[in-house]
């Protein structure tokens, strides 16, 4: 396994052919509370991954035993002046926006607490794999703020406007079984298996065309919320980026020759 560090609190790990990258939040003593430094590191790691054409799928994980991420570092925030809080905002947005903007499929591997900004990081991913210890929620209104890492926009896209409103306005925490029933997470696995299951799912995804994966994600993201006619135009534009690609030529050839494709990734 290779590992690249981004500051003290973030590591990117890759095994084998390196097509699956694990972006590990690594601030276990603070249960991955997102400080300014950690937010900067998440943003930097995402920028590096986005620019790497060899990465086909990213898994966002945690090295903390009791939590995926408990959200903003409120101890640090408590020391900020209003001016310092305003200055920090672009760095914070860079972390959440960096995960959301990754051009390849992303999977969150969640265990323990995923609250506030921690759950927003998971919501920024395409798929959320949670273990049975998971507790998720957006409790920001209970401390006088609102979800500011994409939660007010991403949660209703996942579960609908009324359900999102109830969850955000009550600030309640949701345990794994209910989270699955509400669509807050996409699967629940045995305790301690979230990262392994997410990596296995990522490997299955990464076996497919990297050009196709990125184009499909682009169509899904851009078309969501559009009227059908506009969405189909977005899909057509994404189709055109793959129809004349080397991956399409290789995929068709491999199918006809009954062999595993060797994707050129272009």
């Amino acid at each position: 396994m290779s590992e690249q560090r981004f500051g003290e609190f973030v590591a990117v790990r890759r095994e084998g052919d390196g097509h699956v990258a694990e972006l590990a939040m690594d601030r276990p003593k603070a249960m991955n509370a997102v400080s300014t430094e950690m937010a900067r590191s998440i943003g930097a790691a995402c920028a590096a991954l986005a620019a790497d054409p060899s990465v086909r799928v990213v898994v966002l994980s945690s090295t903390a035993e009791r939590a995926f991420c408990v959200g903003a570092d409120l101890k640090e925030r408590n020391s900020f002046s209003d001016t310092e809080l305003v200055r920090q905002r672009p760095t914070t947005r860079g972390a959440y926006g960096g995960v959301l903007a990754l051009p390849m499929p992303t999977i969150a591997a969640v265990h323990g607490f995923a609250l506030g900004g921690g759950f927003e990081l998971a919501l920024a991913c395409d798929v959320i794999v949670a273990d049975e210890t998971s507790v998720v929620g957006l409790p920001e209104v209970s401390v006088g703020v609102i979800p500011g890492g994409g939660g007010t926009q991403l949660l209703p896209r996942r579960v609908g406007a009324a359900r999102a409103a109830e969850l955000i306005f009550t600030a309640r925490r949701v345990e794994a079984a209910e989270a699955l029933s509400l669509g807050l997470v996409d699967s629940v696995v045995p305790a301690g298996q979230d990262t392994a299951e997410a990596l296995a799912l990522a490997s299955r995804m990464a076996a497919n065309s990297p050009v196709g994966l990125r184009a499909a994600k682009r169509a899904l993201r851009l078309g969501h919320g559009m009227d059908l006619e506009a969405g189909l135009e977005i899909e057509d534009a994404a189709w055109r980026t793959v129809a004349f690609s080397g991956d399409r030529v290789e995929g068709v050839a491999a199918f006809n020759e009954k062999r595993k494709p060797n994707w050129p990734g272009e």
Side-chain angles (χ1 to χ4, degrees):
M1 176 186 290
S2 66
E3 179 175 295
Q4 181 181 4
R5 301 293 303 191
F6 290 83
E8 184 180 355
F9 303 131
V10 173
V12 171
R13 301 165 175 168
R14 298 168 73 168
E15 291 184 353
D17 55 22
H19 293 322
V20 174
E22 180 186 354
L23 196 171
M25 296 180 286
D26 188 25
R27 196 187 179 200
K29 290 181 180 178
M31 292 198 287
N32 287 330
V34 182
S35 63
T36 305
E37 180 184 349
M38 185 169 169
R40 189 176 293 114
S41 296
I42 291 171
C46 288
L49 289 167
D52 189 338
S54 71
V55 178
R56 298 181 186 176
V57 186
V58 171
V59 171
L60 180 62
S61 70
S62 161
T63 66
E65 183 177 347
R66 295 179 53 219
F68 174 73
C69 173
V70 293
D73 186 338
L74 295 184
K75 290 182 179 178
E76 180 189 63
R77 289 276 181 91
N78 192 48
S79 69
F80 282 175
S81 65
D82 289 351
T83 300
E84 288 169 330
L85 185 59
V86 169
R87 276 198 200 123
Q88 189 215 30
R89 180 63 175 160
T91 301
T92 304
R93 290 194 70 184
Y96 300 113
V99 175
L100 186 62
L102 284 168
M104 67 287 289
T106 55
I107 304 169
V110 174
H111 61 265
F113 297 110
L115 300 172
F119 189 39
E120 288 175 302
L121 286 168
L123 290 171
C125 296
D126 300 301
V127 178
I128 302 175
V129 175
D131 86 355
E132 59 193 11
T133 71
S134 298
V135 178
V136 305
L138 296 176
E140 283 88 345
V141 297
S142 69
V143 293
V145 292
I146 69 166
T152 65
Q153 305 305 303
L154 295 172
L155 188 59
R157 283 166 167 78
R158 177 173 268 275
V159 300
R163 180 68 68 192
E166 182 262 321
L167 291 166
I168 291 170
F169 296 161
T170 61
R172 72 183 180 95
R173 301 179 179 192
V174 182
E175 295 186 359
E178 185 185 4
L180 180 62
S181 71
L182 296 178
L184 297 172
V185 303
D186 300 303
S187 62
V188 173
V189 300
Q193 294 301 305
D194 52 295
T195 299
E197 291 290 338
L199 288 169
L201 177 59
S203 293
R204 293 197 294 275
M205 293 179 181
N208 297 307
S209 158
V211 172
L213 288 171
R214 292 186 182 217
K217 175 165 180 172
R218 191 162 61 249
L220 283 163
R221 283 284 178 89
L222 294 178
H224 188 88
M226 304 290 284
D227 64 68
L228 180 59
E229 184 176 355
L232 290 172
E233 290 302 316
I234 289 168
E235 181 183 79
D236 184 66
W239 177 86
R240 290 174 187 278
T241 67
V242 299
F244 309 104
S245 69
D247 274 13
R248 196 271 304 172
V249 172
E250 169 61 12
V252 172
F255 177 84
N256 285 301
E257 295 165 15
K258 298 186 168 103
R259 60 174 174 81
K260 184 178 177 181
N262 182 23
W263 303 113
E266 57 185 23

